Amino acid sequence: MASTRVRTYKEFLTPFQHRRFAAAAGQVLVLCYLESLLIKTNRSFIWSWFPFGPAGFRAAGLFLSSLLVFILRVAQLHLGARTANSGFGIIRRQIFGPNALQTLVFHCLSATVFGEVFVWSAPKSANLSLIAEGKSYERPRLNDRAIYFRCCMLILAAFQTVIHLHDDYDRVRVERVIASPTKESKASYTTKLVNLLPQWAYKVGIDLLATFIGPLIYHFTWMRWTAWSCAQFFARQIWSIPKGAEPSWLPPYSPSLLGLTFWASFLLMTLWDTCNTAFTLNMGEEPLKYDKPLTNDSQDPNGSLLNGLKSKKEIVQTFAFRELACIAGRFEARRKTIYSEIDRSGGSTWSQVMIICLEKMNSIEKRIAEYQNPKPEPLPSSIASQPPQNMVQSLPRLSAPLKEAAIMKNSPRSKGSLETIAGAYVKSLDSPESARTTTLTGVLSPKANQLFNSGRGLLTQQQQEAISVAGVKSTFTRYWIMALRTPHMSMFRNTFERRFSAIVFGTPYSDIDVIVDSVNSVTNLVVHSIKEDKFGCVSPSIPLIIRTYVSIISSLNSFSASLEVHWTDVYYDETGAGRRQEEINTMGNTLKKSFSRALEALGITVWKYTEVATRPGRTGRTMEEAEYLVTQLKSGLREILTAFGRYAEDVGLKASELRAVRRMAEMDK
């Protein structure tokens, strides 16, 4: 009988994502319908809300605007957090990558569609049409109010693009697995949405700042004249507009126009932020279908799951590991099949799952080793392709060799020329101060040497050191460090935590979630195997699993202790007092102290100055993600030792090794 084809994991993941996308789109469609009712009020009671009337057409136009944001989110979807040595590295990668231009284009299209729907729905008294007809004897002319309104929509699009890239809206955070979820622990979609309302309101408020900045950008930059020229070019194809018409020097601002712009901006920002929130919440749900694993409908469920675990694509692999974690923690019937399938091609299901998970954990040690022992850079292809010189056979020489002197070279410059002095100074920058002085003295004329020596005598030793190369470098470094201490320059700091995460968890996106899921999956499968593994497939692998956990914990601890601190990490604190709160408490203490002294000088003792202590933070060599991973590894060790502690010798663990593992897992406190 011919063997049935194993369906790939993507065949189950794609319909799941389609359902989540449709759910998010349906929720946004409701908002579009509500906004269509707010944009225009109709005199007729029925036509003001009837879905198959003007309200429905407006809702369809607004939904098209939101659909462009959904398309952008799907095109740039990723699940891991962005990693780089500094915030500037992330910004540089975003700006010079394709995502920045793509994000700007889609937001501009979305804002244009929304603006046209709003203009179409606005009353005639709003005067937002592109052409101002005027009186019967006047020629049509461009309407500066309409151009300003459309430019404000584009300004909002640019502002939203910056927010989108800065806050990493493209990332979807998949829900963490709970071993035994209850009604209290598993929050509903409504609860998640309510919890995000303060954050959503804050984002809308920040975005609306562009509404107040828009008039300044429109009037004091090239935007007004460029928009006028473009509008004039397209309008002249339809209407008879004077060719030399120019906008008036007075801006078209009026209370009614600014009010309409603010209202349209509020509705557009609300629509955008709701699209992003609905997409993130729906696409980030656990990979379950009717509270069962996605691959349960496959003829070979574990084969489809293994296909996803071996995938090279980030999205497919992340959801596959998340489903495996759900199966290992919550679905007993499906978990038993992992133990019982021992005749699968390529090894039993348990052995393949264990190998894949341990490889994902060992990727941490691999990255650390690559950082500590970097590979030498390969030679250029032009040099590598050249044959060895001993293989080149030259012909016998028939004439005298050519002269090697520079026969076309200009006559040497005079001893005191500016070019000679500058060249000698540049070549001597890496030399000591005494050697540099000797070099300059050799290229200067006698009179210049006399002036140079007399000038040196006018400066003190401290002044001479300040204008030297080392002094200039020291001054520049000191001022650069002072700048790095300000909040606005924080993106240029190569902090210890950022560098550690980029090295250990990979770039450009971290795979900490996949590694944690692999740890939780292996731990739960090992713990439950003591009752559910009828064939004893898991027990021979327990020593390898325990040693892998211990090795990863030791590697993280040792690398954290050995990684050097970058000089730009100005708030790094090795003593354990934590990172100082940037300038906030310092400035507050200074103001309070000055105010207290002023009151005391006036004889007022109503308020006494007390210095605000800096907020205790994490120690210099502690990282949040690494700490969470180490916590999961130690918790896994404790659970495994609790389940198999009395069988340690039977599974191949020595007594000394068991004691060391118990100390590592902090079980002997």
Side-chain angles (χ1 to χ4, degrees), residues 541-558:
S541 307
I542 292 177
L544 175 62
I545 294 172
I546 291 178
R547 288 165 188 151
T548 302
Y549 283 19
V550 172
S551 176
I552 294 173
I553 294 173
S554 302
S555 298
L556 290 173
N557 292 336
S558 60

PDB file of all heavy atoms in Angstrom, residues 541-558:
ATOM      1  N   SER A 541      17.648   8.952  27.975  1.00  0.00           N
ATOM      2  CA  SER A 541      18.067  10.291  27.533  1.00  0.00           C
ATOM      3  C   SER A 541      18.160  11.292  28.672  1.00  0.00           C
ATOM      4  O   SER A 541      18.600  12.422  28.445  1.00  0.00           O
ATOM      5  CB  SER A 541      17.085  10.829  26.486  1.00  0.00           C
ATOM      6  OG  SER A 541      16.894   9.921  25.431  1.00  0.00           O
ATOM      7  N   ILE A 542      17.771  10.896  29.889  1.00  0.00           N
ATOM      8  CA  ILE A 542      17.738  11.851  31.000  1.00  0.00           C
ATOM      9  C   ILE A 542      19.129  12.395  31.342  1.00  0.00           C
ATOM     10  O   ILE A 542      19.282  13.613  31.557  1.00  0.00           O
ATOM     11  CB  ILE A 542      17.059  11.204  32.220  1.00  0.00           C
ATOM     12  CG1 ILE A 542      15.572  10.994  31.927  1.00  0.00           C
ATOM     13  CG2 ILE A 542      17.217  12.075  33.463  1.00  0.00           C
ATOM     14  CD1 ILE A 542      14.812  10.311  33.025  1.00  0.00           C
ATOM     15  N   PRO A 543      20.189  11.568  31.415  1.00  0.00           N
ATOM     16  CA  PRO A 543      21.519  12.154  31.694  1.00  0.00           C
ATOM     17  C   PRO A 543      21.934  13.203  30.676  1.00  0.00           C
ATOM     18  O   PRO A 543      22.492  14.247  31.039  1.00  0.00           O
ATOM     19  CB  PRO A 543      22.440  10.932  31.663  1.00  0.00           C
ATOM     20  CG  PRO A 543      21.561   9.780  31.988  1.00  0.00           C
ATOM     21  CD  PRO A 543      20.239  10.097  31.367  1.00  0.00           C
ATOM     22  N   LEU A 544      21.674  12.933  29.388  1.00  0.00           N
ATOM     23  CA  LEU A 544      22.041  13.910  28.347  1.00  0.00           C
ATOM     24  C   LEU A 544      21.266  15.207  28.537  1.00  0.00           C
ATOM     25  O   LEU A 544      21.834  16.302  28.403  1.00  0.00           O
ATOM     26  CB  LEU A 544      21.769  13.307  26.972  1.00  0.00           C
ATOM     27  CG  LEU A 544      21.977  14.249  25.771  1.00  0.00           C
ATOM     28  CD1 LEU A 544      23.421  14.714  25.696  1.00  0.00           C
ATOM     29  CD2 LEU A 544      21.553  13.557  24.470  1.00  0.00           C
ATOM     30  N   ILE A 545      19.985  15.109  28.864  1.00  0.00           N
ATOM     31  CA  ILE A 545      19.169  16.311  29.044  1.00  0.00           C
ATOM     32  C   ILE A 545      19.663  17.115  30.239  1.00  0.00           C
ATOM     33  O   ILE A 545      19.806  18.346  30.166  1.00  0.00           O
ATOM     34  CB  ILE A 545      17.689  15.906  29.214  1.00  0.00           C
ATOM     35  CG1 ILE A 545      17.161  15.284  27.917  1.00  0.00           C
ATOM     36  CG2 ILE A 545      16.839  17.109  29.610  1.00  0.00           C
ATOM     37  CD1 ILE A 545      15.788  14.673  28.047  1.00  0.00           C
ATOM     38  N   ILE A 546      19.928  16.449  31.340  1.00  0.00           N
ATOM     39  CA  ILE A 546      20.394  17.151  32.541  1.00  0.00           C
ATOM     40  C   ILE A 546      21.740  17.820  32.283  1.00  0.00           C
ATOM     41  O   ILE A 546      21.964  18.978  32.666  1.00  0.00           O
ATOM     42  CB  ILE A 546      20.469  16.175  33.725  1.00  0.00           C
ATOM     43  CG1 ILE A 546      19.048  15.749  34.134  1.00  0.00           C
ATOM     44  CG2 ILE A 546      21.186  16.803  34.909  1.00  0.00           C
ATOM     45  CD1 ILE A 546      19.015  14.753  35.258  1.00  0.00           C
ATOM     46  N   ARG A 547      22.648  17.114  31.628  1.00  0.00           N
ATOM     47  CA  ARG A 547      23.974  17.696  31.348  1.00  0.00           C
ATOM     48  C   ARG A 547      23.864  18.881  30.386  1.00  0.00           C
ATOM     49  O   ARG A 547      24.627  19.844  30.498  1.00  0.00           O
ATOM     50  CB  ARG A 547      24.890  16.616  30.775  1.00  0.00           C
ATOM     51  CG  ARG A 547      25.328  15.576  31.806  1.00  0.00           C
ATOM     52  CD  ARG A 547      25.924  14.359  31.174  1.00  0.00           C
ATOM     53  NE  ARG A 547      26.164  13.305  32.156  1.00  0.00           N
ATOM     54  CZ  ARG A 547      26.145  12.009  31.888  1.00  0.00           C
ATOM     55  NH1 ARG A 547      25.889  11.600  30.637  1.00  0.00           N
ATOM     56  NH2 ARG A 547      26.377  11.112  32.829  1.00  0.00           N
ATOM     57  N   THR A 548      22.922  18.805  29.454  1.00  0.00           N
ATOM     58  CA  THR A 548      22.720  19.935  28.550  1.00  0.00           C
ATOM     59  C   THR A 548      22.231  21.155  29.316  1.00  0.00           C
ATOM     60  O   THR A 548      22.712  22.277  29.107  1.00  0.00           O
ATOM     61  CB  THR A 548      21.722  19.559  27.442  1.00  0.00           C
ATOM     62  OG1 THR A 548      22.216  18.425  26.726  1.00  0.00           O
ATOM     63  CG2 THR A 548      21.522  20.719  26.485  1.00  0.00           C
ATOM     64  N   TYR A 549      21.269  20.955  30.229  1.00  0.00           N
ATOM     65  CA  TYR A 549      20.778  22.063  31.039  1.00  0.00           C
ATOM     66  C   TYR A 549      21.906  22.683  31.855  1.00  0.00           C
ATOM     67  O   TYR A 549      22.063  23.914  31.908  1.00  0.00           O
ATOM     68  CB  TYR A 549      19.679  21.567  31.983  1.00  0.00           C
ATOM     69  CG  TYR A 549      18.322  21.352  31.352  1.00  0.00           C
ATOM     70  CD1 TYR A 549      18.193  21.212  29.971  1.00  0.00           C
ATOM     71  CD2 TYR A 549      17.166  21.281  32.121  1.00  0.00           C
ATOM     72  CE1 TYR A 549      16.964  20.999  29.387  1.00  0.00           C
ATOM     73  CE2 TYR A 549      15.918  21.080  31.542  1.00  0.00           C
ATOM     74  CZ  TYR A 549      15.829  20.936  30.176  1.00  0.00           C
ATOM     75  OH  TYR A 549      14.603  20.737  29.602  1.00  0.00           O
ATOM     76  N   VAL A 550      22.687  21.834  32.500  1.00  0.00           N
ATOM     77  CA  VAL A 550      23.788  22.334  33.337  1.00  0.00           C
ATOM     78  C   VAL A 550      24.821  23.070  32.490  1.00  0.00           C
ATOM     79  O   VAL A 550      25.344  24.121  32.883  1.00  0.00           O
ATOM     80  CB  VAL A 550      24.433  21.166  34.108  1.00  0.00           C
ATOM     81  CG1 VAL A 550      25.690  21.625  34.838  1.00  0.00           C
ATOM     82  CG2 VAL A 550      23.438  20.572  35.100  1.00  0.00           C
ATOM     83  N   SER A 551      25.114  22.523  31.311  1.00  0.00           N
ATOM     84  CA  SER A 551      26.115  23.154  30.441  1.00  0.00           C
ATOM     85  C   SER A 551      25.656  24.537  29.984  1.00  0.00           C
ATOM     86  O   SER A 551      26.455  25.491  29.956  1.00  0.00           O
ATOM     87  CB  SER A 551      26.378  22.256  29.233  1.00  0.00           C
ATOM     88  OG  SER A 551      27.268  22.864  28.333  1.00  0.00           O
ATOM     89  N   ILE A 552      24.375  24.675  29.649  1.00  0.00           N
ATOM     90  CA  ILE A 552      23.875  25.975  29.190  1.00  0.00           C
ATOM     91  C   ILE A 552      23.900  26.985  30.331  1.00  0.00           C
ATOM     92  O   ILE A 552      24.285  28.149  30.143  1.00  0.00           O
ATOM     93  CB  ILE A 552      22.461  25.812  28.618  1.00  0.00           C
ATOM     94  CG1 ILE A 552      22.502  24.953  27.354  1.00  0.00           C
ATOM     95  CG2 ILE A 552      21.856  27.176  28.290  1.00  0.00           C
ATOM     96  CD1 ILE A 552      21.147  24.602  26.811  1.00  0.00           C
ATOM     97  N   ILE A 553      23.489  26.562  31.527  1.00  0.00           N
ATOM     98  CA  ILE A 553      23.527  27.480  32.672  1.00  0.00           C
ATOM     99  C   ILE A 553      24.954  27.930  32.951  1.00  0.00           C
ATOM    100  O   ILE A 553      25.216  29.121  33.179  1.00  0.00           O
ATOM    101  CB  ILE A 553      22.911  26.800  33.917  1.00  0.00           C
ATOM    102  CG1 ILE A 553      21.424  26.538  33.696  1.00  0.00           C
ATOM    103  CG2 ILE A 553      23.095  27.678  35.147  1.00  0.00           C
ATOM    104  CD1 ILE A 553      20.778  25.736  34.798  1.00  0.00           C
ATOM    105  N   SER A 554      25.906  26.991  32.917  1.00  0.00           N
ATOM    106  CA  SER A 554      27.309  27.345  33.166  1.00  0.00           C
ATOM    107  C   SER A 554      27.845  28.265  32.081  1.00  0.00           C
ATOM    108  O   SER A 554      28.589  29.217  32.367  1.00  0.00           O
ATOM    109  CB  SER A 554      28.152  26.071  33.251  1.00  0.00           C
ATOM    110  OG  SER A 554      27.681  25.211  34.262  1.00  0.00           O
ATOM    111  N   SER A 555      27.466  28.016  30.822  1.00  0.00           N
ATOM    112  CA  SER A 555      27.943  28.859  29.723  1.00  0.00           C
ATOM    113  C   SER A 555      27.409  30.279  29.856  1.00  0.00           C
ATOM    114  O   SER A 555      28.156  31.253  29.655  1.00  0.00           O
ATOM    115  CB  SER A 555      27.516  28.262  28.380  1.00  0.00           C
ATOM    116  OG  SER A 555      28.075  26.985  28.189  1.00  0.00           O
ATOM    117  N   LEU A 556      26.143  30.420  30.204  1.00  0.00           N
ATOM    118  CA  LEU A 556      25.573  31.752  30.373  1.00  0.00           C
ATOM    119  C   LEU A 556      26.232  32.498  31.523  1.00  0.00           C
ATOM    120  O   LEU A 556      26.561  33.690  31.409  1.00  0.00           O
ATOM    121  CB  LEU A 556      24.068  31.653  30.600  1.00  0.00           C
ATOM    122  CG  LEU A 556      23.217  31.225  29.400  1.00  0.00           C
ATOM    123  CD1 LEU A 556      21.766  31.012  29.811  1.00  0.00           C
ATOM    124  CD2 LEU A 556      23.293  32.255  28.284  1.00  0.00           C
ATOM    125  N   ASN A 557      26.441  31.819  32.628  1.00  0.00           N
ATOM    126  CA  ASN A 557      27.065  32.476  33.782  1.00  0.00           C
ATOM    127  C   ASN A 557      28.505  32.874  33.500  1.00  0.00           C
ATOM    128  O   ASN A 557      28.936  33.981  33.835  1.00  0.00           O
ATOM    129  CB  ASN A 557      26.990  31.562  35.005  1.00  0.00           C
ATOM    130  CG  ASN A 557      25.564  31.374  35.503  1.00  0.00           C
ATOM    131  OD1 ASN A 557      24.703  32.210  35.268  1.00  0.00           O
ATOM    132  ND2 ASN A 557      25.316  30.269  36.194  1.00  0.00           N
ATOM    133  N   SER A 558      29.270  31.968  32.897  1.00  0.00           N
ATOM    134  CA  SER A 558      30.680  32.270  32.628  1.00  0.00           C
ATOM    135  C   SER A 558      30.823  33.364  31.568  1.00  0.00           C
ATOM    136  O   SER A 558      31.672  34.255  31.685  1.00  0.00           O
ATOM    137  CB  SER A 558      31.407  31.005  32.172  1.00  0.00           C
ATOM    138  OG  SER A 558      30.817  30.492  30.983  1.00  0.00           O
TER     139      SER A 558
END
